[in-house]
């Protein structure tokens, strides 16, 4: 049997809440000299309405609930934290979650030193009530978080199961309905005293930027939370914009209908794309998509300026894709089909995936307009940018490597992928100059000779005083070039003299770039630059 008093932390039960200046005065203030405000200011010189009267009455009418059942937070995130702080004794109590689910329940519990019981979901992403039942008697369990539609799986949780859990549990069941307007059936009208519903202005109402979440619970529960909540947590601008939005609910309904119809179209289009294995049915404004190699698709989309969410840590090889505008969705589909990028020039590509690194490298020997480099090692990125800039090449390199071990695998495998991309771009190697070298001077003198003759070789004459430049180990510089020669099938002869290790390495990379530029240049003849007849 749910007993609210028993659930409240003892210090909160006895808490005398902060009384704000405006709480003490119910009438209409003509001369407000009670809150130490600046009488001039810029139009927002007064504290916000702590009671949020307009906002509460508008939202109450919008959802058809009583205003005393509502509490507002700086996003739902604040209310999740508020619930944990009000009901869970740090170091003693616990919450229960059903992963994979929204991450803030766990984060807020961790911040508050509150334990977490995890119960897995069934294969259909539902809750197994019988399996859960024994945990419901644990006296340290105070809050159960259920997300429906669930993030990231997109499905709703059966209503009967939620009712059963609430009825068999003495604590509070928090039902997060953040995505409810995109297809679920809200449980806001259920009169279950320990069911507490979370909604937000960030999704269907389109106001993620104002940070406004709503808690809907029994009025007694709301009264306790109000003791803990900071008095002015919702600022004036947020309250105004929310009230405005609640006056335009017809427009909101149209937007939601359009997102739902885009979701279904997007799902259909995604299903025709190679490598996509499954699209989970969704009642939310996102799709969970199972794909052959989620990490590589993720980085390749990033390269094209499109970000989605990789959820593979929770469900293997899955991406969570938010439903965007029709144009955004079309761009996503085009990027996945590679329709949007028909390169001009000699291009080569390498996708390299091992348990240590995932690398995507492509090079365009004739078009320097498109370069993007991100290996996670800033100095190494700087060096690869030298290759693109001084080689007049288009170069895209995205490396996702095990940097938590050290940079070795990432640098080595990037070099291998880069070499393969050059090998690919050079094709039969007909009609190229083949050789290149340069002697650039800085405080150092670097000499890089190259021969794209089809055989790997590295001659190396360089020493460094420092062990690292930035995050990059100096011993990895020769290793980078050795790996490159292996897959690009070229000879490299590199020498450097000088003082400053940063300059020495940079001048090698610049000289390397200029040598490449010379060697890959097309000659007019178009013949193979070898008497062997093959390179
Ligand atoms: N609940 C769920 C299930 C969410 O996915 C999110 C945000 N993605 C939130 C709550 C956070 O909402 P708010 O922006 O109101 O903090």
């Amino acid at each position: 049997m749910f007993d609210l008093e028993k659930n409240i932390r003892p210090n909160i039960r006895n808490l005398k809440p902060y009384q704000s200046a405006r709480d003490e005065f119910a009438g209409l203030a003509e001369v407000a000299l009670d809150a130490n405000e600046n009488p001039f200011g810029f139009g927002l010189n007064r504290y916000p309405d702590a009671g949020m009267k307009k906002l509460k009455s508008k939202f109450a009418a919008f959802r058809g609930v009583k205003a005393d059942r509502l509490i507002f937070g700086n996003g739902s995130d604040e209310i999740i934290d508020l619930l944990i702080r009000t009901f869970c004794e740090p170091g003693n109590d616990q919450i229960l979650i059903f992963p994979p689910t929204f991450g803030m329940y766990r984060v807020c519990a961790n911040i508050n030193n509150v334990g977490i019981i995890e119960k897995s979901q069934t294969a259909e992403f539902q809750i197994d009530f019988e399996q859960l039942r024994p945990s419901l008697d644990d006296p340290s369990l105070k809050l159960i978080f259920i997300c429906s539609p669930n993030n990231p799986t997109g499905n709703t949780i059966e209503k009967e199961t939620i009712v059963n859990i609430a009825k068999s549990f003495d604590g509070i069941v928090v039902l997060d309905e953040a995505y409810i307007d995109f297809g679920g059936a809200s449980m806001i009208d259920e009169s279950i005293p320990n069911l507490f519903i979370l909604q937000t202005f960030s999704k269907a109402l389109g106001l993620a930027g104002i940070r406004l979440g709503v808690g809907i619970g029994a009025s007694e529960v709301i009264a306790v939370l109000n003791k803990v909540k900071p008095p002015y947590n919702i600022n004036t601008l947020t309250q105004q914009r929310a009230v405005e939005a609640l006056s335009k609910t017809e427009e909101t309904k149209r937007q939601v209908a359009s997102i739902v119809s885009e979701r279904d179209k997007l799902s259909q289009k995604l299903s025709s794309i190679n490598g996509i294995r499954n699209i989970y049915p969704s009642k939310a404004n996102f799709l969970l998509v199972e794909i052959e190699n989620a990490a590589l698709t993720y980085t390749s989309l990033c390269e094209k300026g499109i970000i989605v969410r990789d959820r593979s840590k929770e469900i293997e090889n899955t991406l969570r894709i938010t439903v965007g505008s029709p144009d955004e969705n079309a761009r996503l589909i085009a990027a996945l089909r590679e329709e949007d990028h028909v390169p001009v020039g000699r291009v080569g590509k390498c996708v390299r995936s091992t348990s240590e690194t995932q690398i995507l490298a492509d090079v365009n020997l004739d078009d320097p307009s498109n370069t993007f480099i991100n290996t996670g090692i800033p100095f190494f990125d700087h060096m690869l940018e030298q290759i693109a800039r001084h080689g007049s090449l288009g170069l895209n390199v995205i490396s996702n490597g095990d940097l938590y071990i050290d940079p070795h695998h990432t640098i080595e495998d990037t070099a291998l992928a880069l070499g393969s991309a050059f090998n690919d771009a050079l094709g039969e190697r007909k009609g190229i100059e083949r050789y290149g070298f340069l002697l650039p001077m800085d405080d150092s003198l670097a000499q890089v000779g190259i021969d794209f003759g089809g055989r790997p070789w590295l001659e190396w004459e360089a020493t460094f005083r420092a062990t690292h430049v930035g995050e990059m180990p100096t011993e990895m510089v020769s290793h980078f070039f050795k790996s490159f020669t292996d897959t690009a099938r070229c000879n490299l002869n590199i020498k450097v003299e000088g003082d400053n290790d940063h300059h020495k390495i940079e001048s090698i990379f610049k000289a390397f770039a200029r040598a490449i530029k010379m060697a890959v240049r097309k000659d007019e003849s178009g013949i193979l630059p070898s008497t062997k007849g093959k390179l």
Side-chain angles (χ1 to χ4, degrees), residues 138 189 378 466 500 522:
D138 183 338
D189 294 329
N500 180 301
K522 286 185 202 161

Side-chain angles (χ1 to χ4, degrees), residues 126-162:
Q126 288 296 327
I127 296 170
D128 182 340
F129 178 63
E130 287 312 318
Q131 194 226 346
L132 170 70
R133 201 176 209 146
S135 309
L136 300 180
D137 297 329
D138 183 338
S140 70
L141 177 61
K142 294 292 161 57
L143 295 170
I144 297 177
F145 284 89
I146 300 173
C147 188
S148 179
N150 186 36
N151 175 5
T153 54
N155 63 295
T156 52
I157 306 297
E158 281 163 14
K159 180 175 156 184
E160 194 189 330
T161 310
I162 299 172

Side-chain angles (χ1 to χ4, degrees), residues 22 37 42-55 74 207 209-212 231-245:
R22 298 286 141 81
E37 295 149 335
F42 301 96
L44 287 166
N45 55 322
R46 300 293 171 193
Y47 279 100
D49 173 13
M52 305 175 214
K53 286 181 263 338
K54 244 192 199 160
L55 177 57
N74 187 342
L207 284 169
I210 68 170
R211 307 303 299 126
L212 188 62
Y232 299 117
N233 66 326
I234 308 299
N235 70 68
T236 304
L237 293 174
T238 292
Q239 293 191 38
Q240 282 170 357
R241 290 301 288 267
V243 166
E244 258 170 57

Side-chain angles (χ1 to χ4, degrees), residues 72-214:
F72 292 91
N74 187 342
S76 316
D77 295 348
E78 187 185 21
I79 307 178
I80 295 167
D81 185 64
L82 192 62
L83 285 160
I84 292 178
R85 281 191 295 129
T86 304
F87 296 108
C88 300
E89 194 61 38
N92 281 335
D93 289 339
Q94 308 194 78
I95 67 162
L96 189 146
I97 59 173
F98 300 93
T101 192
F102 181 47
M104 279 307 282
Y105 315 139
R106 180 193 299 281
V107 172
C108 287
N110 286 336
I111 290 169
N112 289 293
N113 191 22
V114 161
I116 301 167
I117 301 174
E118 294 187 22
K119 288 281 164 198
S120 53
Q121 298 174 26
T122 67
E124 292 77 36
F125 300 134
Q126 288 296 327
I127 296 170
D128 182 340
F129 178 63
E130 287 312 318
Q131 194 226 346
L132 170 70
R133 201 176 209 146
S135 309
L136 300 180
D137 297 329
D138 183 338
S140 70
L141 177 61
K142 294 292 161 57
L143 295 170
I144 297 177
F145 284 89
I146 300 173
C147 188
S148 179
N150 186 36
N151 175 5
T153 54
N155 63 295
T156 52
I157 306 297
E158 281 163 14
K159 180 175 156 184
E160 194 189 330
T161 310
I162 299 172
V163 172
N164 280 341
I165 295 172
K167 289 195 168 156
S168 319
F169 179 48
D170 290 345
I172 290 180
V173 174
V174 182
L175 177 61
D176 189 341
E177 293 187 348
Y179 300 97
I180 199 67
D181 297 289
F182 301 104
S186 174
M187 289 182 67
I188 206 168
D189 294 329
E190 298 291 323
S191 50
I192 302 175
N194 60 336
L195 183 65
F196 186 94
I197 289 174
L198 278 179
Q199 293 187 352
T200 176
F201 279 65
S202 300
K203 312 294 174 188
L205 285 158
L207 284 169
I210 68 170
R211 307 303 299 126
L212 188 62
V214 196

